[in-house]
Amino acid sequence: MQTSAVRQGSVLLGIVSALALLLNTLFLGVFLFFFIFLRIILPARLAQILANPVITAIASLWVACILWWMNHVYKVQWDIQGLQRTGKQEWFLINANHQSWVDIFVLYQIYLGKVPLLKFFIKKELGYIPIVGQAWWALDFPFMRRHSKAYLAKHPEQAGKDLEETRKACEKFSQTPTSVMNFLEGTRFTEYKHRDQQSPFKYLLKPKAGGLAFAIQALGDKFSALTNVTIYYPDGIPTFWGMMCGAFKRCVVRIDEHPIPPHFSQGDYETDGELRLEIQQWVTRLWQEKDELLKQLNSDQ
């Protein structure tokens, strides 16, 4: 089983990287907050025309600076195969396995500038991170509040609220070409979570089909396919700090497209048991194929 890599990076490089990231964030944050202020005070239509594109450009520049550092300072070696469909005027539904915060930068390495800026589902608590959290809000990233089983047992009225938030966010995405990024596992892979779930997959946690189903139903036929991304770290799963220290050196990515059955955008996932089962089985098959691919990638090392 793939485990966290033994870190051999430089702490000094980590400190320098942290300072560079801080300066990048503070500098661009000044411009970001100016346009967020405009977005707040302007009528919605004007804000959409004048403020929103600039906010997206600032966020893209922030990510581009991080990717430059990864490629020229850390000198990450990329093995990316299968990227075919791109375009800034299309809607994309992208799924990937989730192992580390580094996954986010891997996905931006693949897609930045090639498709509309990726919109991730963000845990609500992360919205309080200075500057970055406000940027996510301004970019209309959907914030999710996930409750534990113990909490829902005490507060059953909260059941389904996270999926309702997914539906509302995706309805907003229908207004302009968007790349909706969803980690089907809902959380980062760890051996503890894998054992706790009793996951039937060797390299993956159990997938959660609800958010994906609501995205498909909210945006109807705007998605022509599900883009399935498999991320593999040959040297072990890197931590964010490990990346900052330069210990993240290699990444393997495989991408394939799966047509979305047209009738998935019809009906109601919550109330139609037959449709819900069909979507769950479809997702399970995708996950079985992904698990086999990760097994093959592991054996090739």
Side-chain angles (χ1 to χ4, degrees):
M1 182 168 294
Q2 193 177 10
T3 59
S4 296
V6 176
R7 299 302 168 212
Q8 298 178 350
S10 164
V11 173
L12 178 59
L13 177 57
I15 294 171
V16 172
S17 298
L19 289 173
L21 177 60
L22 178 62
L23 290 174
N24 180 35
T25 303
L26 291 176
F27 176 73
L28 293 177
V30 172
F31 300 96
L32 174 70
F33 276 102
F34 174 76
F35 283 95
I36 288 178
F37 176 71
L38 283 184
R39 170 178 164 145
I40 292 172
I41 65 173
L42 290 174
R45 182 60 181 168
L46 272 179
Q48 184 176 356
I49 296 173
L50 299 177
N52 290 2
V54 181
I55 291 171
T56 299
I58 292 170
S60 298
L61 179 58
W62 181 79
V63 174
C65 290
I66 295 174
L67 296 181
W68 184 93
W69 193 268
M70 289 175 65
N71 289 308
H72 292 84
V73 178
Y74 306 148
K75 297 183 179 179
V76 178
Q77 299 174 29
W78 301 99
D79 177 2
I80 300 173
Q81 298 181 24
L83 178 62
Q84 297 179 352
R85 191 170 62 96
T86 58
K88 292 188 177 182
Q89 298 305 313
E90 293 187 50
W91 278 260
F92 291 83
L93 181 59
I94 301 171
N95 149 72
N97 54 314
H98 194 17
Q99 305 160 88
S100 164
W101 272 66
V102 179
D103 299 341
I104 293 173
F105 300 106
V106 171
L107 289 162
Y108 278 123
Q109 170 70 23
I110 301 167
Y111 288 110
L112 185 67
K114 301 183 181 76
V115 302
L117 187 70
L118 299 182
K119 301 290 180 72
F120 291 83
F121 290 90
I122 303 292
K123 292 180 180 178
K124 199 171 185 70
E125 295 77 10
L126 297 179
Y128 298 105
I129 298 175
I131 302 179
V132 177
Q134 290 74 54
W136 286 334
W137 171 83
L139 290 164
D140 291 322
F141 278 42
F143 288 93
M144 309 293 294
R145 186 189 298 278
R146 296 199 179 277
H147 300 297
S148 67
K149 292 181 179 179
Y151 179 88
L152 291 176
K154 295 181 179 179
H155 304 277
E157 73 280 0
Q158 296 297 321
K161 289 289 182 67
D162 55 344
L163 294 179
E164 182 60 28
E165 291 299 318
T166 301
R167 190 198 306 275
K168 290 178 180 178
C170 291
E171 287 172 353
K172 187 182 295 185
F173 293 158
S174 66
Q175 300 170 13
T176 184
T178 306
S179 300
V180 180
M181 175 62 223
N182 186 26
F183 291 116
L184 278 177
E185 292 159 295
T187 185
R188 285 169 288 169
F189 179 98
T190 66
E191 291 187 26
Y192 170 78
K193 294 173 186 175
H194 186 265
R195 289 193 303 268
D196 186 57
Q197 282 191 356
Q198 296 183 338
S199 173
F201 309 101
K202 184 174 182 180
Y203 300 100
L204 301 164
L205 300 179
K206 294 178 181 178
K208 299 178 180 179
L212 185 73
F214 280 173
I216 293 171
Q217 294 189 342
L219 291 170
D221 58 358
K222 292 187 183 299
F223 296 131
S224 61
L226 171 67
T227 301
N228 186 36
V229 179
T230 301
I231 302 172
Y232 172 66
Y233 299 107
D235 303 316
I237 300 170
T239 63
F240 181 74
W241 176 245
M243 180 189 77
M244 297 279 277
C245 293
F248 171 40
K249 291 298 185 183
R250 295 190 297 161
C251 184
V252 175
V253 179
R254 297 293 181 262
I255 306 166
D256 52 38
E257 299 275 346
H258 293 265
I260 299 172
H263 66 280
F264 279 10
S265 62
Q266 310 299 319
D268 190 322
Y269 180 82
E270 287 185 288
T271 61
D272 188 337
E274 186 175 337
L275 176 64
R276 183 167 61 251
L277 178 61
E278 186 176 357
I279 293 176
Q280 290 172 347
Q281 290 174 338
W282 183 67
V283 167
T284 298
R285 287 194 296 272
L286 293 179
W287 231 234
Q288 289 168 341
E289 293 172 8
K290 185 183 290 288
D291 205 45
E292 283 297 316
L293 176 56
L294 285 169
K295 179 181 178 180
Q296 178 185 333
L297 291 172
N298 269 275
S299 65
D300 288 345
Q301 298 305 310

